């Protein structure tokens, strides 16, 4: 009898509630498990749940993708990316992209990182079919060139984020196409695209005036002309700039950032060996209310003056890397505690600063109570034993890295840099 009543109640619910009312119930559910359970009630509820799904991560061929497109017509974000260490061959191929272009025409976000099987043929299909696309990540899809991605740029003019890191066949020609068609671009990740030059970055700046984040690390043909142009055009919009190992970038770029980019939060200039104190001091004053992350390891002209200026002026600074800047000494940190200065610094990398001693580390600890990670590898005068003998009391929860290969990284630090 109880079972009969339950079946009757269920039938009554389906008769009384409209599809819109059931959708309202679905939106009030919290964890994904609850939303999945909603679809197990009956076919009608499954259909409603499927129609409301917006994100999908899958590993499927053309036949399965067609079924997914039919079942989940409201998908806005599709992730088919592969792990670089566990990629399977051939993985996603051009035929899959053809299905995506025809079946997920409302797609806003498409992730295809490390899909090594896709070529320009598939990109052409995406460019022709996904006019609403706003974010595309094809990082490390090594067969892609300007030819296919230029069609994406012309067909997906609402594009705001484009990630092409590791696509070494890309040249300035793509940036010209992006500048002409994708006027609302906010984020470009092109690390390792080492055929890009100042001409391409300048062309990008001509059309894309809203760039917030630019990563052209290891693009060693880009120097001051391109960076100065993007700094002037993007101005207060630019919040993150990554130029790791861009050896042609020098003081002119830093002065330009100081002049125009007052909201800059993240700057990566590790390996830019021509940058010196004067420009960094100007940046510290200009971006004192915004700068949070600064990496300038292997900037060999940097001295105590730069680090002292950054620590004293940039009160929001959360992470800084001056590893292998061998002119850094204890003087960079002296006087911090005397001024009752309390830094928000959480990560400090001063590895390979050979003149640094326990005295300097003591000043850091005294003034940086929020410190979570301190890297003093290959600092011969700062060892575990010398710190213990000096009676240094580290902030609670702070990890100190005394030893290990400099090529090793720490996940808790990688998120900053």
């Amino acid at each position: 009898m109880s079972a009969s009543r339950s079946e009757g109640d269920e039938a009554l619910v389906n008769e009384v509630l409209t599809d819109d009312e059931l959708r309202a119930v679905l939106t009030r559910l919290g964890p994904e498990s609850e939303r999945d359970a909603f679809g197990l009630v009956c076919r009608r509820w499954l259909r409603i749940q499927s129609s409301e799904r917006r994100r999908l991560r899958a590993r499927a061929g053309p036949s399965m993708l067609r079924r997914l497109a039919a079942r989940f017509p409201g998908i806005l974000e599709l992730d088919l990316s592969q792990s670089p260490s566990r990629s399977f061959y051939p993985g996603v191929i051009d035929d899959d992209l053809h299905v995506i272009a025809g079946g997920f025409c409302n797609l806003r976000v498409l992730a295809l990182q490390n899909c090594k099987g896709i070529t320009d043929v598939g990109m052409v299909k995406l460019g022709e079919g996904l006019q609403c696309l706003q974010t595309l990540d094809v990082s490390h899809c090594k067969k892609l060139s300007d030819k296919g991605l230029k069609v994406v740029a012309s067909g997906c003019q609402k594009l705001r984020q484009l990630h092409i890191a590791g696509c070494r066949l890309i040249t300035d020609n793509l940036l010209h196409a992006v500048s002409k068609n994708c006027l609302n671009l906010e984020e470009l990740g092109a690390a390792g695209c080492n055929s890009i030059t100042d001409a391409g970055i300048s062309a990008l700046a001509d059309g894309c005036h809203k760039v917030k984040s630019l990563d052209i690390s290891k693009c060693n043909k880009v120097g001051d002309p391109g960076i100065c142009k993007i700094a002037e055009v993007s101005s207060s919009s630019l919040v993150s700039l990554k130029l790791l190992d861009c050896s042609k970038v020098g003081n002119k770029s830093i002065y330009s950032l100081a002049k125009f980019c007052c909201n800059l939060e993240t700057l990566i200039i590790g390996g830019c060996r021509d940058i010196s104190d004067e420009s960094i001091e100007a940046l510290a004053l200009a971006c004192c209310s915004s700068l949070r992350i600064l990496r300038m390891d292997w900037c060999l002209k940097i001295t105590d003056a730069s680090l002292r200026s950054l620590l004293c002026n940039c009160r929001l600074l959360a992470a800084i890397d001056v590893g292998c800047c061998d002119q850094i000494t204890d003087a960079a940190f002296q006087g911090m505690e005397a001024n009752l200065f309390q830094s928000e610094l959480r990560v400090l990398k001063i590895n390979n600063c050979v003149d640094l001693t326990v005295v300097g580390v003591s000043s850091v600890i005294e003034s940086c109570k929020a410190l979570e990670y301190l890297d003093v590898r290959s600092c011969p005068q700062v060892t575990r034993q010398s710190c213990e003998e000096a009676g240094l009391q580290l902030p609670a929860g702070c990890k100190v890295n005394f030893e290990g290969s400099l090529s090793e990284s720490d996940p808790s630090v990688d998120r900053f840099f």
Side-chain angles (χ1 to χ4, degrees):
M1 181 73 78
S2 175
S4 175
R5 254 196 321 269
S6 175
E7 291 174 1
D9 290 342
E10 180 182 328
L12 184 61
V13 167
N14 268 334
E15 289 173 5
V16 171
L17 295 182
T18 66
D19 284 358
D20 287 340
E21 288 168 335
L22 284 173
R23 287 190 183 94
V25 172
L26 180 61
T27 60
R28 292 178 181 272
L29 298 181
E32 194 69 28
S33 58
E34 289 185 3
R35 301 174 70 87
D36 289 340
F38 180 96
L40 297 176
V41 173
C42 64
R43 289 183 178 180
R44 181 189 177 204
W45 289 33
L46 177 61
R47 174 177 55 78
I48 291 172
Q49 182 218 16
S50 299
S51 68
E52 291 298 301
R53 186 156 187 165
R54 296 292 178 260
R55 298 178 182 178
L56 182 64
R57 178 177 175 83
R59 185 172 289 181
S63 177
M64 180 58 72
L65 281 172
R66 289 189 185 93
R67 293 172 64 184
L68 290 172
R71 178 177 172 183
F72 303 110
I75 290 295
L76 300 179
E77 300 181 21
L78 180 61
D79 185 353
L80 298 176
S81 58
Q82 296 178 232
S83 165
S85 59
R86 294 184 177 182
S87 59
F88 60 98
Y89 186 83
V92 179
I93 59 176
D94 292 333
D95 288 346
D96 301 324
L97 301 188
H98 194 175
V99 173
I100 291 169
F104 297 92
C105 54
N106 293 318
L107 211 58
R108 303 290 192 276
V109 178
L110 179 59
L112 297 167
Q113 302 100 299
N114 297 296
C115 293
K116 300 178 177 64
I118 61 177
T119 72
D120 289 330
V121 174
M123 286 296 106
V124 169
K125 294 299 181 181
L126 294 183
E128 293 172 347
L130 301 181
Q131 297 181 1
C132 296
L133 196 66
Q134 297 179 7
T135 298
L136 176 64
D137 192 338
V138 289
S139 300
H140 307 291
C141 298
K142 298 182 179 181
K143 294 181 180 180
L144 299 185
S145 71
D146 296 334
K147 180 180 178 181
L149 286 166
K150 283 171 67 176
V151 177
V152 171
S154 61
C156 308
Q157 297 190 5
K158 295 180 180 180
L159 210 61
R160 293 181 179 273
Q161 298 180 3
L162 177 61
H163 295 274
I164 52 175
C167 297
R168 297 188 176 184
L169 300 179
I170 298 300
T171 73
D172 291 341
N173 289 330
L174 174 61
L175 299 190
H176 280 276
V178 169
S179 175
K180 180 180 178 182
N181 297 289
C182 305
L183 305 185
N184 293 314
L185 190 76
E186 297 177 352
E187 186 171 326
L188 176 64
C193 298
N194 52 17
S195 293
I196 290 176
T197 71
D198 285 321
I201 299 300
S202 296
L204 181 74
D206 286 335
C208 302
H209 300 164
K210 301 177 182 179
V211 175
K212 295 180 180 179
S213 176
L214 177 64
D215 184 355
I216 47 173
S217 297
K218 300 184 183 297
C219 294
N220 51 26
K221 295 178 183 177
V222 176
D224 289 334
I227 302 305
C228 289
K229 181 71 176 291
I230 201 78
E232 182 176 358
V233 171
S234 295
S235 187
S236 59
S237 296
L238 192 66
V239 296
S240 177
L241 180 61
K242 298 184 179 182
L243 304 168
L244 182 66
D245 290 336
C246 292
S247 56
K248 292 186 176 182
V249 171
N251 285 328
K252 286 184 178 180
S253 294
I254 307 303
Y255 279 124
S256 193
L257 292 170
K259 181 177 180 181
F260 297 109
C261 303
C262 58
N263 293 321
L264 191 66
E265 296 178 6
T266 298
L267 179 62
I268 307 297
I269 49 174
C272 300
R273 301 191 180 197
D274 290 333
I275 293 173
S276 59
D277 287 335
E278 293 77 10
S279 62
I280 294 296
E281 290 179 81
L283 183 77
L285 291 173
C287 299
C288 61
S289 299
S290 63
L291 195 63
R292 295 187 65 254
I293 298 169
L294 177 59
R295 177 178 175 181
M296 50 182 188
D297 53 317
W298 288 104
C299 293
L300 301 182
K301 295 182 179 180
I302 295 299
T303 73
D304 295 331
S306 288
L307 190 51
R308 189 184 305 115
S309 180
L310 289 161
L311 291 172
C312 291
N313 290 294
C314 301
R315 298 302 176 101
L316 297 179
L317 199 62
I320 187 167
D321 183 353
V322 288
C324 301
C325 296
D326 55 11
Q327 298 189 61
I328 298 293
T329 71
D330 294 337
F333 309 104
Q334 288 173 356
M336 292 172 65
E337 66 274 20
N339 296 328
L340 300 177
F341 173 71
Q342 288 296 320
S343 170
E344 295 297 319
L345 199 66
R346 295 162 63 187
V347 173
L348 176 61
K349 300 188 71 174
I350 44 178
N351 53 279
N352 267 84
C353 295
V354 295
D355 291 329
L356 197 69
T357 73
V358 174
V359 174
V361 174
S362 178
S363 297
V364 171
I365 292 171
E366 186 65 29
S367 300
C368 303
K369 300 297 186 183
L371 201 64
E372 299 174 2
Y373 181 88
L374 176 63
D375 187 351
V376 290
R377 288 175 292 177
S378 298
C379 295
Q381 302 181 71
V382 183
T383 63
R384 191 185 304 274
Q385 181 179 348
S386 64
C387 288
E388 290 174 353
E389 290 174 351
L392 295 186
Q393 296 294 320
L394 293 167
C398 179
K399 175 182 178 180
V400 182
N401 196 345
F402 288 103
E403 54 197 21
S405 170
L406 294 181
S407 63
E408 296 175 359
S409 60
D410 190 294
S412 63
V413 178
D414 292 343
R415 62 192 175 97
F416 287 98
F417 301 113

